[in-house]
Amino acid sequence: MTRQDLIEGFRYDLWANLRWIATIGSGAEWNPARSVMQHVVQSQWVWLEQFSPSGFPEPTEDYEQWLEPLHQKWVALVEGSEPATTFSYVRTSTQETITRTYEEAARHIVNHGSYHRGQLREIAERIGAEQIPETDWIYWTDELKGVGPVK
């Protein structure tokens, strides 16, 4: 996978996360969705801190303000790194030292976001949300190409 492929993944991830942020309401019924989105943002920060301290404080409930700065840091990191370059970190759940490539971490982050956006859809359907954004990769590519309406 090339740097450009990884950057494209982060652009998609930002696009999809911003669509959900625009959807999540302020009512108590949306609390689970806000928690999921907070987790997505915090996870991006944790991974970034593993191998390139961002200088940002840990994200709080105001996750919306962190998405674009984190995205910019990730893109800068990918642009300045070889995808096959390795880094090591200590896995918090087991305390074992793990070695990964930047590519593995970047691909994980984008995939992690997709997984949790599926949870957001489930939450939105359960509470009867009127508008649920389509955030699958193919809808993003359609939007880029100007093909068909994207909800």
Side-chain angles (χ1 to χ4, degrees):
M1 184 166 280
T2 68
R3 282 187 187 117
Q4 283 310 113
D5 293 331
L6 297 174
I7 291 168
E8 184 178 44
F10 279 106
R11 287 185 179 136
Y12 157 70
D13 188 64
L14 177 64
W15 171 86
N17 287 336
L18 289 172
R19 290 177 66 84
W20 270 105
I21 283 175
T23 300
I24 295 171
S26 60
E29 70 276 12
W30 284 102
N31 284 347
R34 282 192 291 279
S35 293
V36 168
M37 187 53 78
Q38 175 66 28
H39 169 74
V40 168
V41 172
Q42 193 147 19
S43 295
Q44 285 193 12
W45 179 83
V46 166
W47 275 99
L48 186 62
E49 292 297 307
Q50 291 285 349
F51 51 85
S52 179
S54 65
F56 296 137
E58 188 170 352
T60 60
E61 292 87 32
D62 298 328
Y63 53 81
E64 302 95 338
Q65 73 178 347
W66 297 100
L67 274 178
E68 293 199 46
L70 282 169
H71 168 78
Q72 291 168 1
K73 287 285 188 181
W74 273 108
V75 169
L77 179 65
V78 170
E79 286 176 338
S81 305
E82 287 297 325
T85 300
T86 60
F87 68 98
S88 296
Y89 65 97
V90 176
R91 181 178 281 159
T92 55
S93 61
T94 63
Q95 298 305 305
E96 64 185 311
T97 299
I98 307 292
T99 300
R100 298 261 182 242
T101 65
Y102 285 101
E103 177 185 350
E104 289 172 323
R107 290 176 73 181
H108 167 71
I109 289 159
V110 172
N111 188 59
H112 182 255
S114 294
Y115 170 81
H116 286 297
R117 285 187 297 274
Q119 289 180 316
L120 292 172
R121 183 176 193 88
E122 179 185 3
I123 291 166
E125 288 173 350
R126 185 175 56 237
I127 66 173
E130 292 182 26
Q131 296 291 327
I132 298 175
E134 294 293 349
T135 57
D136 285 343
W137 176 274
I138 202 73
Y139 290 106
W140 178 65
T141 61
D142 286 352
E143 187 172 295
L144 290 176
K145 295 174 186 174
V147 176
V150 177
K151 296 179 188 177

